[in-house]
Every structure is written in structure tokens, then in C-alpha cells.
């Protein structure tokens, strides 16, 4: 698509994130991992050639500092009301600014590449439309590109991928669903301990990879 597409990265409080990794990683390890993954995602988005910019929405001051460091706009979440409320807030803003579209990405996809982002934006249908990339489990939504920004009701959470398909169809939007296999870096989100296995091998030089290499035994379960 042509026009101004903004990437939007919602970021939960670092201290509360990645609870499902608690069986494998300590609280400090989880916080370090969340931070490294966010750095990788923001660095990749800054390298994309098809985005007008990136917005981080968060209530976490550290995430806000990182957003600034990577040249992203920051929207401070004054009241934390969950992921869907956060992205709906950004959609309203971007619609008011008459941006062409918004691309929502989670902060836990350290393997995402600028080439994947650019390919996704280039393949987006013209007009009122939604493009989706599922998470590698087929259930979550790892990329949601919607134009115009406020055209869709968001349903992030369990089984959000099929829910977003249904909501896009009900809203009469053109729909492009991609295969996770065509976007391996983007589709590989880190939710469960099993998602960490082999991750260091898959990643190019990156903050997350350096973290995994630095912590000897990072991937061993904590006692
Ligand atoms: N701004 C904002 N971002 C959120 C909120 N909840 C989740 N996110 C972000 O949404 C994306 C997907 O979140 P999840 O995969 O559910 O991550 P998580 O909540 O850290 O993981 P668990 O604690 O294991 O459920 C990540 O980028 C989170 O940081 C929220 O209330 N506000
Ligand atoms: O993909 C989604 O809808 C949610 O943002 C996160 O789901 P997950 O926690 O299963 O990745």
C-alpha cells in the first residue's frame, strides 16, 4: 500500500511481563529478556523503509526511554486497561492524524526482520483492508495491519487470529491472511518456555541473542 503506515508496539510493564515464562526464568531474567526483545523490535522497525514511524504505547518508564532511544513516538498509558484498550487508543489518534494505516506488532518477536515488515506492508490490499500474520501457534495475532487505523475492533487475547478474521469480514474489509511459515521471524513470539528452545540459533546478531549467549544456563529451568 502507499501512504503513511505507522507501526504500533504496545508494551506492558516490564515487571509484569512474560508471566508464562516463570517456570523457566527468574523475574530478573524475564525483565532482561523483555527489554532485549523490545530493543530488537524497535531497531528493526527503525530500519524498515515502508513505515512513516513507530509508536510505543506503554506505562513503563524504561520502555518509554527505549522508545525515545530508537526514535519512536511515545504514548504514555495513563490508565492501564489492557492491550485492546491501548491499541484502540492509538488507532483513534492515528485516525485523527489521517494516517493511512497502522501495523500492530507485539514486543516479543526478536527475530522479526525489516524485510518481513516491508513485504507485509507492500502486500497490503488497497482501500479499507486488514492484513494478518498469525503467531507460530496459529492462535495469536503477531501482525495486524489495518487501514484506515480505526476500521477494526481489536480482539487481542486467546484465539485472536480467528477472531480478527471474523471481525474483519463482519466489518466488510478486504482481508489478506498470510502463512506464519512465510514470516518466520515475525511469527516466532516468545510466550512459553518451549519458544526459547533453539532461539539463539535462529536469531541474527541481536540484543536478544547476546543476552542468551551471555547468561550461561539462561535456558535451564530455575530451581
Ligand atoms: N500497552 C500495553 N501493552 C500490553 C498490555 N498487555 C500486553 N501488552 C503487550 O502486548 C504484547 C503481547 O502481550 P503478551 O504476549 O500477552 O505478553 P505478556 O502479557 O507479557 O505475557 P504473559 O504475562 O505471559 O501473558 C506484548 O508486547 C505486551 O507487552 C497492556 O495492558 N498495555
Ligand atoms: O496474539 C494475541 O492476541 C495476544 O496479543 C497475545 O497472545 P499470546 O499471549 O498468546 O501471544
Amino acid at each position: 500500500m502507499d501512504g503513511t503506515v505507522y507501526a504500533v508496539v504496545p508494551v506492558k510493564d516490564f515487571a509484569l511481563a512474560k508471566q508464562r515464562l516463570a517456570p523457566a526464568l527468574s523475574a530478573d531474567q524475564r525483565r532482561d529478556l523483555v527489554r532485549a526483545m523490545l530493543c530488537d523490535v524497535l531497531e528493526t522497525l527503525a530500519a524498515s523503509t515502508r513505515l512513516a514511524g513507530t509508536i510505543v504505547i506503554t506505562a513503563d518508564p524504561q520502555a518509554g526511554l527505549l522508545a525515545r532511544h530508537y526514535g519512536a513516538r511515545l504514548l504514555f498509558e495513563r490508565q492501564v486497561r489492557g492491550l485492546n484498550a491501548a491499541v484502540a487508543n492509538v488507532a483513534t489518534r492515528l485516525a485523527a492524524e489521517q494516517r493511512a494505516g497502522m501495523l500492530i506488532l507485539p514486543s516479543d518477536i526478536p527475530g522479526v526482520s525489516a524485510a518481513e515488515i516491508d513485504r507485509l506492508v507492500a502486500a497490503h490490499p488497497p482501500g479499507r483492508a486488514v492484513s494478518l500474520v498469525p503467531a507460530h501457534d496459529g492462535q495469536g495475532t503477531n501482525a495486524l495491519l489495518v487501514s484506515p487505523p480505526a476500521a477494526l475492533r481489536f480482539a487481542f487475547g486467546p484465539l485472536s487470529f480467528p477472531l480478527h478474521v471474523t471481525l474483519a469480514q463482519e466489518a466488510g474489509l478486504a482481508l489478506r491472511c498470510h502463512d506464519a511459515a512465510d514470516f518466520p521471524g515475525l511469527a516466532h513470539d516468545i510466550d512459553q518456555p518451549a519458544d526459547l528452545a533453539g532461539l539463539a540459533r535462529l536469531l541474527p546478531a541481536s540484543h536478544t541473542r547476546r543476552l542468551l549467549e551471555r547468561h550461561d544456563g539462561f535456558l535451564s529451568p530455575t530451581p
Side-chain angles (χ1 to χ4, degrees), residues 20 83 140-141 155-157 160 189 191:
R20 282 170 287 174
L83 178 52
T141 307
F156 289 97
S160 67
D189 54 352
D191 285 329

Side-chain angles (χ1 to χ4, degrees), residues 10-12 16-21 57-58 77 80-83 86 106-108 191:
V11 183
K12 196 168 157 178
L16 304 175
K18 293 294 144 215
Q19 301 296 324
R20 282 170 287 174
L21 293 178
I57 178 156
T58 188
E77 210 175 346
V80 179
R81 286 177 294 136
L83 178 52
S107 55
D108 60 0
D191 285 329

Side-chain angles (χ1 to χ4, degrees), residues 140-194:
T141 307
N142 276 20
L144 190 163
L145 171 51
V146 57
S147 53
L152 186 71
R153 189 156 68 80
F154 302 111
F156 289 97
L159 290 172
S160 67
F161 183 73
L163 283 171
H164 283 136
V165 169
T166 303
L167 288 168
Q169 287 167 339
E170 284 176 3
L173 303 170
L175 179 62
R176 180 89 201 258
C177 287
H178 294 277
D179 284 341
D182 293 331
F183 292 85
L186 201 168
H188 195 102
D189 54 352
I190 309 300
D191 285 329
Q192 314 283 347

